[in-house]
Amino acid sequence: MNANPELLNAIRSIPDYPKPGIIFRDITTLLGDARAFRRAVDELVQPYVGMKIDKIAGIEARGFILGGALAHQLSAGFVPIRKKGKLPDKTVSMTYSLEYGEDEMEMHVDAVKQGEKVILVDDLIATGGTAEGAVKLLRQMGADIVSACFVIDLKDLPGRKKLEAMGVEVRSLVQYEGH
Ligand SMILES: O=P(O)(O)OC[C@H]1O[C@H](OP(=O)(O)OP(=O)(O)O)[C@H](O)[C@@H]1O
Ligand SMILES: Nc1ncnc2[nH]cnc12
């Protein structure tokens, strides 16, 4: 399924980070490799070229880096979905589940308008709790979520299925087995 050795080789895997048993898939090495970064952005953008996309919504923190590039390429606006307490104006918030526990994310109430076509982006989908929260938040504000895209899908975890069950198309460039 991994048709993309250049991207795979550019991602660094750190065993036992942030805790024993987790292999952390670190995209900073991909971002620091000009060719791989460009390729990742080009491949993320490719399915949407020619579509009228109003906004790219990026999830803090790593989704911001990719989201800015995608927004530029697709001539779309960018919407930051942030951890609680970081946005200065009126916000809407959503509680979301993490592997252990819960957290809260926010976006500005005026960040998307009813019916706007939005693509959600993050570096990685695992349990899908974070992306699920972002989809709920965007839909609450009337967004039409066209697709969600990720560099990495940890495919033994239920993230993709969770989003698909919500009616969201999911795309990823590199898939890993295990956690
Ligand atoms: O599918 P999930 O199980 O929800 O996990 C995926 C999320 O985990 C990571 O972010 P993290 O929570 O580590 O935050 P950070 O980007 O601010 O470090 C990653 O960038 C995704 O946002
Ligand atoms: N294995 C992993 N590597 C990097 N980020 C993650 N977020 C959740 N699981 C992760």
Side-chain angles (χ1 to χ4, degrees), residues 105-124:
M105 63 175 72
E106 293 181 335
M107 63 183 263
H108 277 138
V109 289
D110 58 359
V112 290
K113 295 187 185 66
Q114 181 73 35
E116 280 191 325
K117 296 205 176 302
V118 176
I119 294 170
L120 180 66
V121 62
D122 203 353
D123 65 323
L124 176 147

Side-chain angles (χ1 to χ4, degrees), residues 11-14 17-18 21-27 62 98-99 122-128 130 152 154 157 176 178-179:
I11 296 164
R12 175 164 55 190
S13 294
I14 316 277
Y17 181 90
I22 302 286
I23 305 173
F24 192 85
R25 307 300 181 179
D26 174 23
I27 64 154
R62 289 164 260 161
L98 293 163
E99 222 167 333
D122 203 353
D123 65 323
L124 176 147
I125 185 162
T127 66
T130 308
I152 299 167
L154 302 187
L157 293 171
Y176 288 98
H179 293 210

Side-chain angles (χ1 to χ4, degrees), residues 58-136:
I59 300 176
E60 187 175 3
R62 289 164 260 161
F64 288 1
I65 302 161
L66 298 160
L70 263 61
H72 176 78
Q73 292 286 91
L74 293 167
S75 299
F78 177 76
V79 174
I81 297 184
R82 299 212 63 177
K83 309 264 160 75
K84 189 179 167 57
K86 300 280 188 179
L87 290 167
D89 208 342
K90 196 169 176 221
T91 58
V92 277
S93 68
M94 184 63 63
T95 302
Y96 65 103
S97 58
L98 293 163
E99 222 167 333
Y100 302 100
E102 288 188 336
D103 208 341
E104 214 171 319
M105 63 175 72
E106 293 181 335
M107 63 183 263
H108 277 138
V109 289
D110 58 359
V112 290
K113 295 187 185 66
Q114 181 73 35
E116 280 191 325
K117 296 205 176 302
V118 176
I119 294 170
L120 180 66
V121 62
D122 203 353
D123 65 323
L124 176 147
I125 185 162
T127 66
T130 308
E132 179 188 36
V135 167
K136 286 185 183 165

